[in-house]
Amino acid sequence: ETGVTQTPRHLVMGMTNKKSLKCEQHLGHNAMYWYKQSAKKPLELMFVYNFKEQTENNSVPSRFSPECPNSSHLFLHLHTLQPEDSALYLCASSQVSEGRYNEQFFGPGTRLTVL
Amino acid sequence: GQNIDQPTEMTATEGAIVQINCTYQTSGFNGLFWYQQHAGEAPTFLSYNVLDGLEEKGRFSSFLSRSKGYSYLLLKELQMKDSASYLCAVLDGQNFVFGPGTRLSVLP
């Protein structure tokens, strides 16, 4: 238990569906992240939120839409996904102090399958 | 561009010492992290280096040479539970760039 929870743990959706992934951190951190982990590929950073402001968007397609209503919650809204978007989506949080990014704590991930 | 390299797989024997190397080429550098990831689980933090030299934490040590773009993770007194993937990640500004990971198998 890392103090970062994600729901759902597994999700199967069609290409025309709309769904949302939820992440919550109980560590008092001020930065949150979404990552994509596909088989045989490195972990890919998708979005970074620092003090609820999005500070990084690594050329992620617009069919992925993040939302950070407060420093403890992070969402990833999904719509019209493609089969190649099937992957493990990991949420992480960390504390940023005086510009320094400390180690990240990861949630268990959501295993997404797009049919 | 950004590039991080690690060996894909390594095998070692219980009780032995293993060194996992990581080389990186990034536009910026604000630190290097090592994470452990067991199959089907989330990565967990192992170590952090921002200055050259060796950081030791129990059975795990990590070394950094910024001039060479090189780091290694040293695992001593290997245990079966150390079988996992080990991820090297470079912090470039606010962007964490991960390597492909090294899958370590510890044999009895």
Side-chain angles (χ1 to χ4, degrees), chain A residues 33 35 37 42-43 45 48 50 55-56 58 90 100-104 106-107, chain B residues 33 35 37 40-45 48 87 91 93-96 98-100:
Chain A
Y33 314 78
Y35 284 90
Q37 189 170 38
L43 205 58
L45 180 64
V48 180
N50 189 341
T55 57
E56 200 77 27
N58 282 347
L90 290 164
R100 172 182 158 165
Y101 281 72
N102 294 294
E103 70 272 19
Q104 297 174 317
F106 286 83
Chain B
F33 297 79
Y35 289 85
Q37 186 175 24
E41 298 182 14
T44 55
F45 169 75
Y48 168 71
L87 312 178
L91 180 56
Q94 300 176 83
N95 189 9
F96 285 87
F98 277 79

PDB file of all heavy atoms in Angstrom, chain A residues 33 35 37 42-43 45 48 50 55-56 58 90 100-104 106-107, chain B residues 33 35 37 40-45 48 87 91 93-96 98-100:
ATOM      1  N   TYR A  33       0.823  12.575 -11.430  1.00  0.00           N
ATOM      2  CA  TYR A  33       1.260  12.192 -12.775  1.00  0.00           C
ATOM      3  C   TYR A  33       0.398  11.062 -13.323  1.00  0.00           C
ATOM      4  O   TYR A  33      -0.069  10.204 -12.575  1.00  0.00           O
ATOM      5  CB  TYR A  33       2.708  11.666 -12.735  1.00  0.00           C
ATOM      6  CG  TYR A  33       3.681  12.494 -11.937  1.00  0.00           C
ATOM      7  CD1 TYR A  33       3.714  12.427 -10.553  1.00  0.00           C
ATOM      8  CD2 TYR A  33       4.590  13.339 -12.572  1.00  0.00           C
ATOM      9  CE1 TYR A  33       4.607  13.182  -9.814  1.00  0.00           C
ATOM     10  CE2 TYR A  33       5.500  14.092 -11.838  1.00  0.00           C
ATOM     11  CZ  TYR A  33       5.501  14.015 -10.458  1.00  0.00           C
ATOM     12  OH  TYR A  33       6.390  14.760  -9.738  1.00  0.00           O
ATOM     13  N   TYR A  35       0.929   7.951 -16.166  1.00  0.00           N
ATOM     14  CA  TYR A  35       1.858   7.225 -17.007  1.00  0.00           C
ATOM     15  C   TYR A  35       1.109   6.144 -17.772  1.00  0.00           C
ATOM     16  O   TYR A  35       0.114   5.601 -17.296  1.00  0.00           O
ATOM     17  CB  TYR A  35       2.924   6.509 -16.162  1.00  0.00           C
ATOM     18  CG  TYR A  35       4.005   7.379 -15.602  1.00  0.00           C
ATOM     19  CD1 TYR A  35       3.867   7.985 -14.357  1.00  0.00           C
ATOM     20  CD2 TYR A  35       5.195   7.584 -16.304  1.00  0.00           C
ATOM     21  CE1 TYR A  35       4.885   8.773 -13.830  1.00  0.00           C
ATOM     22  CE2 TYR A  35       6.211   8.355 -15.782  1.00  0.00           C
ATOM     23  CZ  TYR A  35       6.051   8.952 -14.551  1.00  0.00           C
ATOM     24  OH  TYR A  35       7.053   9.724 -14.031  1.00  0.00           O
ATOM     25  N   GLN A  37       1.933   2.344 -19.423  1.00  0.00           N
ATOM     26  CA  GLN A  37       2.911   1.262 -19.498  1.00  0.00           C
ATOM     27  C   GLN A  37       2.375   0.181 -20.422  1.00  0.00           C
ATOM     28  O   GLN A  37       1.411  -0.510 -20.098  1.00  0.00           O
ATOM     29  CB  GLN A  37       3.221   0.677 -18.114  1.00  0.00           C
ATOM     30  CG  GLN A  37       4.397  -0.296 -18.135  1.00  0.00           C
ATOM     31  CD  GLN A  37       4.866  -0.687 -16.744  1.00  0.00           C
ATOM     32  OE1 GLN A  37       4.072  -0.874 -15.832  1.00  0.00           O
ATOM     33  NE2 GLN A  37       6.188  -0.802 -16.565  1.00  0.00           N
ATOM     34  N   PRO A  42       9.077   1.228 -22.603  1.00  0.00           N
ATOM     35  CA  PRO A  42       9.333   1.936 -21.333  1.00  0.00           C
ATOM     36  C   PRO A  42       8.087   2.646 -20.829  1.00  0.00           C
ATOM     37  O   PRO A  42       7.186   2.985 -21.605  1.00  0.00           O
ATOM     38  CB  PRO A  42      10.415   2.957 -21.725  1.00  0.00           C
ATOM     39  CG  PRO A  42      10.978   2.490 -23.006  1.00  0.00           C
ATOM     40  CD  PRO A  42       9.900   1.755 -23.701  1.00  0.00           C
ATOM     41  N   LEU A  43       8.088   2.889 -19.545  1.00  0.00           N
ATOM     42  CA  LEU A  43       7.032   3.690 -18.934  1.00  0.00           C
ATOM     43  C   LEU A  43       7.019   5.068 -19.595  1.00  0.00           C
ATOM     44  O   LEU A  43       8.057   5.719 -19.715  1.00  0.00           O
ATOM     45  CB  LEU A  43       7.354   3.816 -17.451  1.00  0.00           C
ATOM     46  CG  LEU A  43       6.257   4.075 -16.442  1.00  0.00           C
ATOM     47  CD1 LEU A  43       5.213   2.996 -16.491  1.00  0.00           C
ATOM     48  CD2 LEU A  43       6.857   4.160 -15.050  1.00  0.00           C
ATOM     49  N   LEU A  45       5.618   8.928 -19.607  1.00  0.00           N
ATOM     50  CA  LEU A  45       4.940   9.992 -18.880  1.00  0.00           C
ATOM     51  C   LEU A  45       3.935  10.668 -19.804  1.00  0.00           C
ATOM     52  O   LEU A  45       4.271  11.067 -20.920  1.00  0.00           O
ATOM     53  CB  LEU A  45       5.962  11.007 -18.376  1.00  0.00           C
ATOM     54  CG  LEU A  45       5.418  12.199 -17.595  1.00  0.00           C
ATOM     55  CD1 LEU A  45       4.759  11.750 -16.297  1.00  0.00           C
ATOM     56  CD2 LEU A  45       6.544  13.188 -17.306  1.00  0.00           C
ATOM     57  N   VAL A  48       1.682  15.827 -16.213  1.00  0.00           N
ATOM     58  CA  VAL A  48       2.164  16.204 -14.892  1.00  0.00           C
ATOM     59  C   VAL A  48       1.311  17.358 -14.385  1.00  0.00           C
ATOM     60  O   VAL A  48       1.061  18.312 -15.132  1.00  0.00           O
ATOM     61  CB  VAL A  48       3.636  16.668 -14.929  1.00  0.00           C
ATOM     62  CG1 VAL A  48       4.111  17.065 -13.529  1.00  0.00           C
ATOM     63  CG2 VAL A  48       4.537  15.582 -15.492  1.00  0.00           C
ATOM     64  N   ASN A  50       1.316  20.023 -11.186  1.00  0.00           N
ATOM     65  CA  ASN A  50       2.082  20.566 -10.074  1.00  0.00           C
ATOM     66  C   ASN A  50       1.235  21.646  -9.425  1.00  0.00           C
ATOM     67  O   ASN A  50       0.911  22.632 -10.085  1.00  0.00           O
ATOM     68  CB  ASN A  50       3.409  21.135 -10.600  1.00  0.00           C
ATOM     69  CG  ASN A  50       4.359  21.512  -9.497  1.00  0.00           C
ATOM     70  OD1 ASN A  50       3.954  21.692  -8.348  1.00  0.00           O
ATOM     71  ND2 ASN A  50       5.621  21.623  -9.825  1.00  0.00           N
ATOM     72  N   THR A  55       1.582  21.006 -15.969  1.00  0.00           N
ATOM     73  CA  THR A  55       2.864  21.571 -16.360  1.00  0.00           C
ATOM     74  C   THR A  55       3.568  20.749 -17.429  1.00  0.00           C
ATOM     75  O   THR A  55       4.594  21.146 -17.929  1.00  0.00           O
ATOM     76  CB  THR A  55       3.796  21.674 -15.137  1.00  0.00           C
ATOM     77  OG1 THR A  55       3.936  20.368 -14.557  1.00  0.00           O
ATOM     78  CG2 THR A  55       3.235  22.622 -14.107  1.00  0.00           C
ATOM     79  N   GLU A  56       3.031  19.603 -17.775  1.00  0.00           N
ATOM     80  CA  GLU A  56       3.668  18.769 -18.774  1.00  0.00           C
ATOM     81  C   GLU A  56       2.597  17.988 -19.518  1.00  0.00           C
ATOM     82  O   GLU A  56       1.686  17.444 -18.906  1.00  0.00           O
ATOM     83  CB  GLU A  56       4.659  17.798 -18.117  1.00  0.00           C
ATOM     84  CG  GLU A  56       5.710  17.214 -19.033  1.00  0.00           C
ATOM     85  CD  GLU A  56       6.834  18.172 -19.358  1.00  0.00           C
ATOM     86  OE1 GLU A  56       7.116  19.064 -18.553  1.00  0.00           O
ATOM     87  OE2 GLU A  56       7.432  18.031 -20.435  1.00  0.00           O
ATOM     88  N   ASN A  58       3.022  15.371 -22.670  1.00  0.00           N
ATOM     89  CA  ASN A  58       3.985  14.809 -23.608  1.00  0.00           C
ATOM     90  C   ASN A  58       3.329  14.354 -24.903  1.00  0.00           C
ATOM     91  O   ASN A  58       3.294  13.173 -25.214  1.00  0.00           O
ATOM     92  CB  ASN A  58       4.753  13.653 -22.937  1.00  0.00           C
ATOM     93  CG  ASN A  58       5.828  14.167 -22.017  1.00  0.00           C
ATOM     94  OD1 ASN A  58       6.161  15.342 -22.043  1.00  0.00           O
ATOM     95  ND2 ASN A  58       6.375  13.295 -21.201  1.00  0.00           N
ATOM     96  N   LEU A  90      -0.823   4.075 -15.030  1.00  0.00           N
ATOM     97  CA  LEU A  90      -0.356   4.260 -13.658  1.00  0.00           C
ATOM     98  C   LEU A  90      -0.448   5.728 -13.264  1.00  0.00           C
ATOM     99  O   LEU A  90      -0.073   6.614 -14.032  1.00  0.00           O
ATOM    100  CB  LEU A  90       1.105   3.801 -13.537  1.00  0.00           C
ATOM    101  CG  LEU A  90       1.364   2.306 -13.652  1.00  0.00           C
ATOM    102  CD1 LEU A  90       2.831   2.032 -13.907  1.00  0.00           C
ATOM    103  CD2 LEU A  90       0.909   1.585 -12.394  1.00  0.00           C
ATOM    104  N   ARG A 100      12.500  21.163  -6.397  1.00  0.00           N
ATOM    105  CA  ARG A 100      13.063  19.818  -6.484  1.00  0.00           C
ATOM    106  C   ARG A 100      11.936  18.777  -6.488  1.00  0.00           C
ATOM    107  O   ARG A 100      11.063  18.793  -5.622  1.00  0.00           O
ATOM    108  CB  ARG A 100      13.993  19.546  -5.311  1.00  0.00           C
ATOM    109  CG  ARG A 100      14.432  18.075  -5.276  1.00  0.00           C
ATOM    110  CD  ARG A 100      15.309  17.720  -4.117  1.00  0.00           C
ATOM    111  NE  ARG A 100      15.255  16.283  -3.864  1.00  0.00           N
ATOM    112  CZ  ARG A 100      16.108  15.621  -3.125  1.00  0.00           C
ATOM    113  NH1 ARG A 100      17.103  16.250  -2.547  1.00  0.00           N
ATOM    114  NH2 ARG A 100      15.988  14.318  -2.931  1.00  0.00           N
ATOM    115  N   TYR A 101      11.997  17.865  -7.478  1.00  0.00           N
ATOM    116  CA  TYR A 101      11.029  16.785  -7.586  1.00  0.00           C
ATOM    117  C   TYR A 101      11.564  15.575  -6.835  1.00  0.00           C
ATOM    118  O   TYR A 101      12.591  15.021  -7.194  1.00  0.00           O
ATOM    119  CB  TYR A 101      10.785  16.424  -9.055  1.00  0.00           C
ATOM    120  CG  TYR A 101       9.858  17.387  -9.753  1.00  0.00           C
ATOM    121  CD1 TYR A 101      10.274  18.672 -10.079  1.00  0.00           C
ATOM    122  CD2 TYR A 101       8.560  17.012 -10.078  1.00  0.00           C
ATOM    123  CE1 TYR A 101       9.427  19.553 -10.708  1.00  0.00           C
ATOM    124  CE2 TYR A 101       7.703  17.887 -10.711  1.00  0.00           C
ATOM    125  CZ  TYR A 101       8.132  19.169 -11.028  1.00  0.00           C
ATOM    126  OH  TYR A 101       7.283  20.033 -11.648  1.00  0.00           O
ATOM    127  N   ASN A 102      10.866  15.157  -5.803  1.00  0.00           N
ATOM    128  CA  ASN A 102      11.280  13.992  -5.026  1.00  0.00           C
ATOM    129  C   ASN A 102      10.713  12.706  -5.640  1.00  0.00           C
ATOM    130  O   ASN A 102      10.006  12.749  -6.653  1.00  0.00           O
ATOM    131  CB  ASN A 102      10.834  14.154  -3.579  1.00  0.00           C
ATOM    132  CG  ASN A 102      11.548  15.303  -2.905  1.00  0.00           C
ATOM    133  OD1 ASN A 102      12.752  15.267  -2.710  1.00  0.00           O
ATOM    134  ND2 ASN A 102      10.810  16.351  -2.572  1.00  0.00           N
ATOM    135  N   GLU A 103      11.042  11.575  -5.022  1.00  0.00           N
ATOM    136  CA  GLU A 103      10.642  10.291  -5.597  1.00  0.00           C
ATOM    137  C   GLU A 103       9.130  10.176  -5.710  1.00  0.00           C
ATOM    138  O   GLU A 103       8.377  10.792  -4.952  1.00  0.00           O
ATOM    139  CB  GLU A 103      11.190   9.124  -4.767  1.00  0.00           C
ATOM    140  CG  GLU A 103      10.555   8.956  -3.397  1.00  0.00           C
ATOM    141  CD  GLU A 103      11.240   9.768  -2.317  1.00  0.00           C
ATOM    142  OE1 GLU A 103      11.970  10.731  -2.660  1.00  0.00           O
ATOM    143  OE2 GLU A 103      11.057   9.423  -1.142  1.00  0.00           O
ATOM    144  N   GLN A 104       8.717   9.377  -6.671  1.00  0.00           N
ATOM    145  CA  GLN A 104       7.300   9.204  -6.939  1.00  0.00           C
ATOM    146  C   GLN A 104       6.768   7.953  -6.264  1.00  0.00           C
ATOM    147  O   GLN A 104       7.459   6.943  -6.159  1.00  0.00           O
ATOM    148  CB  GLN A 104       7.057   9.102  -8.447  1.00  0.00           C
ATOM    149  CG  GLN A 104       7.453  10.358  -9.189  1.00  0.00           C
ATOM    150  CD  GLN A 104       7.342  10.194 -10.684  1.00  0.00           C
ATOM    151  OE1 GLN A 104       7.732   9.183 -11.244  1.00  0.00           O
ATOM    152  NE2 GLN A 104       6.816  11.202 -11.345  1.00  0.00           N
ATOM    153  N   PHE A 106       3.723   5.282  -6.689  1.00  0.00           N
ATOM    154  CA  PHE A 106       2.808   4.846  -7.732  1.00  0.00           C
ATOM    155  C   PHE A 106       1.595   4.123  -7.156  1.00  0.00           C
ATOM    156  O   PHE A 106       1.687   3.400  -6.159  1.00  0.00           O
ATOM    157  CB  PHE A 106       3.516   3.888  -8.704  1.00  0.00           C
ATOM    158  CG  PHE A 106       4.469   4.582  -9.639  1.00  0.00           C
ATOM    159  CD1 PHE A 106       5.761   4.886  -9.243  1.00  0.00           C
ATOM    160  CD2 PHE A 106       4.065   4.925 -10.925  1.00  0.00           C
ATOM    161  CE1 PHE A 106       6.641   5.525 -10.109  1.00  0.00           C
ATOM    162  CE2 PHE A 106       4.941   5.558 -11.794  1.00  0.00           C
ATOM    163  CZ  PHE A 106       6.226   5.860 -11.385  1.00  0.00           C
ATOM    164  N   GLY A 107       0.476   4.312  -7.832  1.00  0.00           N
ATOM    165  CA  GLY A 107      -0.704   3.518  -7.546  1.00  0.00           C
ATOM    166  C   GLY A 107      -0.611   2.160  -8.230  1.00  0.00           C
ATOM    167  O   GLY A 107       0.332   1.918  -9.000  1.00  0.00           O
TER     168      GLY A 107
ATOM    169  N   PHE B  33      16.743   8.338 -10.820  1.00  0.00           N
ATOM    170  CA  PHE B  33      16.018   7.490  -9.880  1.00  0.00           C
ATOM    171  C   PHE B  33      16.095   6.039 -10.320  1.00  0.00           C
ATOM    172  O   PHE B  33      16.114   5.743 -11.514  1.00  0.00           O
ATOM    173  CB  PHE B  33      14.533   7.891  -9.832  1.00  0.00           C
ATOM    174  CG  PHE B  33      14.275   9.286  -9.333  1.00  0.00           C
ATOM    175  CD1 PHE B  33      14.446  10.380 -10.166  1.00  0.00           C
ATOM    176  CD2 PHE B  33      13.838   9.496  -8.035  1.00  0.00           C
ATOM    177  CE1 PHE B  33      14.193  11.672  -9.715  1.00  0.00           C
ATOM    178  CE2 PHE B  33      13.575  10.784  -7.571  1.00  0.00           C
ATOM    179  CZ  PHE B  33      13.753  11.862  -8.418  1.00  0.00           C
ATOM    180  N   TYR B  35      13.889   2.442  -9.679  1.00  0.00           N
ATOM    181  CA  TYR B  35      12.663   1.861  -9.153  1.00  0.00           C
ATOM    182  C   TYR B  35      12.702   0.352  -9.358  1.00  0.00           C
ATOM    183  O   TYR B  35      13.302  -0.148 -10.309  1.00  0.00           O
ATOM    184  CB  TYR B  35      11.430   2.416  -9.872  1.00  0.00           C
ATOM    185  CG  TYR B  35      11.098   3.852  -9.542  1.00  0.00           C
ATOM    186  CD1 TYR B  35      11.713   4.899 -10.227  1.00  0.00           C
ATOM    187  CD2 TYR B  35      10.178   4.157  -8.544  1.00  0.00           C
ATOM    188  CE1 TYR B  35      11.413   6.214  -9.916  1.00  0.00           C
ATOM    189  CE2 TYR B  35       9.875   5.474  -8.234  1.00  0.00           C
ATOM    190  CZ  TYR B  35      10.499   6.493  -8.927  1.00  0.00           C
ATOM    191  OH  TYR B  35      10.195   7.804  -8.623  1.00  0.00           O
ATOM    192  N   GLN B  37      10.124  -2.958  -9.895  1.00  0.00           N
ATOM    193  CA  GLN B  37       8.749  -3.295 -10.249  1.00  0.00           C
ATOM    194  C   GLN B  37       8.604  -4.809 -10.353  1.00  0.00           C
ATOM    195  O   GLN B  37       9.144  -5.432 -11.274  1.00  0.00           O
ATOM    196  CB  GLN B  37       8.331  -2.634 -11.566  1.00  0.00           C
ATOM    197  CG  GLN B  37       6.855  -2.845 -11.892  1.00  0.00           C
ATOM    198  CD  GLN B  37       6.411  -2.095 -13.128  1.00  0.00           C
ATOM    199  OE1 GLN B  37       7.216  -1.775 -14.001  1.00  0.00           O
ATOM    200  NE2 GLN B  37       5.119  -1.794 -13.214  1.00  0.00           N
ATOM    201  N   GLY B  40       3.203  -7.409 -12.393  1.00  0.00           N
ATOM    202  CA  GLY B  40       1.823  -7.140 -12.020  1.00  0.00           C
ATOM    203  C   GLY B  40       1.644  -6.107 -10.918  1.00  0.00           C
ATOM    204  O   GLY B  40       0.527  -5.900 -10.452  1.00  0.00           O
ATOM    205  N   GLU B  41       2.746  -5.482 -10.507  1.00  0.00           N
ATOM    206  CA  GLU B  41       2.660  -4.492  -9.441  1.00  0.00           C
ATOM    207  C   GLU B  41       3.180  -3.141  -9.905  1.00  0.00           C
ATOM    208  O   GLU B  41       3.780  -3.016 -10.970  1.00  0.00           O
ATOM    209  CB  GLU B  41       3.440  -4.965  -8.214  1.00  0.00           C
ATOM    210  CG  GLU B  41       2.909  -6.259  -7.610  1.00  0.00           C
ATOM    211  CD  GLU B  41       3.674  -6.682  -6.367  1.00  0.00           C
ATOM    212  OE1 GLU B  41       4.436  -5.858  -5.804  1.00  0.00           O
ATOM    213  OE2 GLU B  41       3.512  -7.843  -5.957  1.00  0.00           O
ATOM    214  N   ALA B  42       2.954  -2.123  -9.092  1.00  0.00           N
ATOM    215  CA  ALA B  42       3.430  -0.778  -9.418  1.00  0.00           C
ATOM    216  C   ALA B  42       4.913  -0.637  -9.076  1.00  0.00           C
ATOM    217  O   ALA B  42       5.433  -1.345  -8.207  1.00  0.00           O
ATOM    218  CB  ALA B  42       2.624   0.257  -8.636  1.00  0.00           C
ATOM    219  N   PRO B  43       5.619   0.264  -9.740  1.00  0.00           N
ATOM    220  CA  PRO B  43       7.021   0.526  -9.379  1.00  0.00           C
ATOM    221  C   PRO B  43       7.129   1.094  -7.977  1.00  0.00           C
ATOM    222  O   PRO B  43       6.257   1.853  -7.532  1.00  0.00           O
ATOM    223  CB  PRO B  43       7.454   1.570 -10.419  1.00  0.00           C
ATOM    224  CG  PRO B  43       6.482   1.458 -11.530  1.00  0.00           C
ATOM    225  CD  PRO B  43       5.194   1.044 -10.915  1.00  0.00           C
ATOM    226  N   THR B  44       8.202   0.734  -7.285  1.00  0.00           N
ATOM    227  CA  THR B  44       8.465   1.311  -5.966  1.00  0.00           C
ATOM    228  C   THR B  44       9.868   1.907  -5.972  1.00  0.00           C
ATOM    229  O   THR B  44      10.795   1.351  -6.570  1.00  0.00           O
ATOM    230  CB  THR B  44       8.351   0.264  -4.843  1.00  0.00           C
ATOM    231  OG1 THR B  44       9.205  -0.835  -5.138  1.00  0.00           O
ATOM    232  CG2 THR B  44       6.930  -0.234  -4.715  1.00  0.00           C
ATOM    233  N   PHE B  45      10.025   3.025  -5.301  1.00  0.00           N
ATOM    234  CA  PHE B  45      11.260   3.786  -5.286  1.00  0.00           C
ATOM    235  C   PHE B  45      12.374   3.042  -4.544  1.00  0.00           C
ATOM    236  O   PHE B  45      12.148   2.473  -3.482  1.00  0.00           O
ATOM    237  CB  PHE B  45      11.001   5.135  -4.605  1.00  0.00           C
ATOM    238  CG  PHE B  45      12.241   5.925  -4.294  1.00  0.00           C
ATOM    239  CD1 PHE B  45      12.925   6.577  -5.298  1.00  0.00           C
ATOM    240  CD2 PHE B  45      12.710   6.020  -2.993  1.00  0.00           C
ATOM    241  CE1 PHE B  45      14.062   7.305  -5.018  1.00  0.00           C
ATOM    242  CE2 PHE B  45      13.838   6.755  -2.698  1.00  0.00           C
ATOM    243  CZ  PHE B  45      14.517   7.394  -3.713  1.00  0.00           C
ATOM    244  N   TYR B  48      17.953   7.509  -5.271  1.00  0.00           N
ATOM    245  CA  TYR B  48      18.019   8.768  -6.009  1.00  0.00           C
ATOM    246  C   TYR B  48      19.445   9.296  -5.962  1.00  0.00           C
ATOM    247  O   TYR B  48      20.072   9.308  -4.891  1.00  0.00           O
ATOM    248  CB  TYR B  48      17.060   9.777  -5.371  1.00  0.00           C
ATOM    249  CG  TYR B  48      17.211  11.198  -5.848  1.00  0.00           C
ATOM    250  CD1 TYR B  48      16.812  11.559  -7.125  1.00  0.00           C
ATOM    251  CD2 TYR B  48      17.725  12.180  -5.006  1.00  0.00           C
ATOM    252  CE1 TYR B  48      16.926  12.870  -7.556  1.00  0.00           C
ATOM    253  CE2 TYR B  48      17.839  13.495  -5.433  1.00  0.00           C
ATOM    254  CZ  TYR B  48      17.435  13.841  -6.706  1.00  0.00           C
ATOM    255  OH  TYR B  48      17.548  15.135  -7.127  1.00  0.00           O
ATOM    256  N   LEU B  87      13.960  -0.262 -12.986  1.00  0.00           N
ATOM    257  CA  LEU B  87      13.772   0.843 -13.909  1.00  0.00           C
ATOM    258  C   LEU B  87      14.675   2.006 -13.530  1.00  0.00           C
ATOM    259  O   LEU B  87      14.679   2.445 -12.380  1.00  0.00           O
ATOM    260  CB  LEU B  87      12.314   1.320 -13.889  1.00  0.00           C
ATOM    261  CG  LEU B  87      11.213   0.263 -13.988  1.00  0.00           C
ATOM    262  CD1 LEU B  87       9.843   0.924 -13.907  1.00  0.00           C
ATOM    263  CD2 LEU B  87      11.351  -0.539 -15.256  1.00  0.00           C
ATOM    264  N   LEU B  91      15.306  12.557 -14.435  1.00  0.00           N
ATOM    265  CA  LEU B  91      14.451  13.737 -14.332  1.00  0.00           C
ATOM    266  C   LEU B  91      15.069  14.842 -15.174  1.00  0.00           C
ATOM    267  O   LEU B  91      16.160  15.333 -14.871  1.00  0.00           O
ATOM    268  CB  LEU B  91      14.324  14.166 -12.876  1.00  0.00           C
ATOM    269  CG  LEU B  91      13.461  15.385 -12.591  1.00  0.00           C
ATOM    270  CD1 LEU B  91      12.053  15.199 -13.129  1.00  0.00           C
ATOM    271  CD2 LEU B  91      13.433  15.688 -11.102  1.00  0.00           C
ATOM    272  N   GLY B  93      14.183  18.399 -16.252  1.00  0.00           N
ATOM    273  CA  GLY B  93      13.221  19.458 -15.946  1.00  0.00           C
ATOM    274  C   GLY B  93      12.131  18.906 -15.061  1.00  0.00           C
ATOM    275  O   GLY B  93      12.382  18.502 -13.934  1.00  0.00           O
ATOM    276  N   GLN B  94      10.897  18.877 -15.592  1.00  0.00           N
ATOM    277  CA  GLN B  94       9.799  18.271 -14.853  1.00  0.00           C
ATOM    278  C   GLN B  94       9.371  16.960 -15.496  1.00  0.00           C
ATOM    279  O   GLN B  94       8.354  16.377 -15.139  1.00  0.00           O
ATOM    280  CB  GLN B  94       8.597  19.222 -14.836  1.00  0.00           C
ATOM    281  CG  GLN B  94       8.883  20.548 -14.181  1.00  0.00           C
ATOM    282  CD  GLN B  94       7.684  21.470 -14.284  1.00  0.00           C
ATOM    283  OE1 GLN B  94       6.773  21.391 -13.489  1.00  0.00           O
ATOM    284  NE2 GLN B  94       7.687  22.331 -15.293  1.00  0.00           N
ATOM    285  N   ASN B  95      10.151  16.512 -16.441  1.00  0.00           N
ATOM    286  CA  ASN B  95       9.810  15.327 -17.217  1.00  0.00           C
ATOM    287  C   ASN B  95      10.619  14.132 -16.747  1.00  0.00           C
ATOM    288  O   ASN B  95      11.849  14.129 -16.831  1.00  0.00           O
ATOM    289  CB  ASN B  95      10.083  15.606 -18.698  1.00  0.00           C
ATOM    290  CG  ASN B  95       9.553  14.515 -19.596  1.00  0.00           C
ATOM    291  OD1 ASN B  95       8.843  13.617 -19.152  1.00  0.00           O
ATOM    292  ND2 ASN B  95       9.905  14.598 -20.865  1.00  0.00           N
ATOM    293  N   PHE B  96       9.943  13.110 -16.264  1.00  0.00           N
ATOM    294  CA  PHE B  96      10.616  11.867 -15.878  1.00  0.00           C
ATOM    295  C   PHE B  96      10.695  10.976 -17.121  1.00  0.00           C
ATOM    296  O   PHE B  96       9.672  10.597 -17.682  1.00  0.00           O
ATOM    297  CB  PHE B  96       9.820  11.140 -14.790  1.00  0.00           C
ATOM    298  CG  PHE B  96       9.936  11.774 -13.437  1.00  0.00           C
ATOM    299  CD1 PHE B  96       9.082  12.793 -13.058  1.00  0.00           C
ATOM    300  CD2 PHE B  96      10.907  11.343 -12.537  1.00  0.00           C
ATOM    301  CE1 PHE B  96       9.190  13.383 -11.795  1.00  0.00           C
ATOM    302  CE2 PHE B  96      11.019  11.924 -11.281  1.00  0.00           C
ATOM    303  CZ  PHE B  96      10.162  12.948 -10.911  1.00  0.00           C
ATOM    304  N   PHE B  98      11.878   7.381 -18.448  1.00  0.00           N
ATOM    305  CA  PHE B  98      12.206   6.051 -17.957  1.00  0.00           C
ATOM    306  C   PHE B  98      12.942   5.235 -19.015  1.00  0.00           C
ATOM    307  O   PHE B  98      12.661   5.343 -20.211  1.00  0.00           O
ATOM    308  CB  PHE B  98      10.925   5.307 -17.553  1.00  0.00           C
ATOM    309  CG  PHE B  98      10.438   5.639 -16.172  1.00  0.00           C
ATOM    310  CD1 PHE B  98       9.736   6.809 -15.945  1.00  0.00           C
ATOM    311  CD2 PHE B  98      10.681   4.783 -15.109  1.00  0.00           C
ATOM    312  CE1 PHE B  98       9.283   7.127 -14.671  1.00  0.00           C
ATOM    313  CE2 PHE B  98      10.238   5.094 -13.837  1.00  0.00           C
ATOM    314  CZ  PHE B  98       9.539   6.268 -13.611  1.00  0.00           C
ATOM    315  N   GLY B  99      13.849   4.409 -18.551  1.00  0.00           N
ATOM    316  CA  GLY B  99      14.489   3.427 -19.412  1.00  0.00           C
ATOM    317  C   GLY B  99      13.574   2.236 -19.605  1.00  0.00           C
ATOM    318  O   GLY B  99      12.508   2.147 -18.990  1.00  0.00           O
ATOM    319  N   PRO B 100      13.980   1.289 -20.441  1.00  0.00           N
ATOM    320  CA  PRO B 100      13.131   0.137 -20.747  1.00  0.00           C
ATOM    321  C   PRO B 100      13.017  -0.868 -19.615  1.00  0.00           C
ATOM    322  O   PRO B 100      12.144  -1.737 -19.642  1.00  0.00           O
ATOM    323  CB  PRO B 100      13.828  -0.499 -21.957  1.00  0.00           C
ATOM    324  CG  PRO B 100      15.255  -0.098 -21.801  1.00  0.00           C
ATOM    325  CD  PRO B 100      15.240   1.271 -21.193  1.00  0.00           C
TER     326      PRO B 100
END
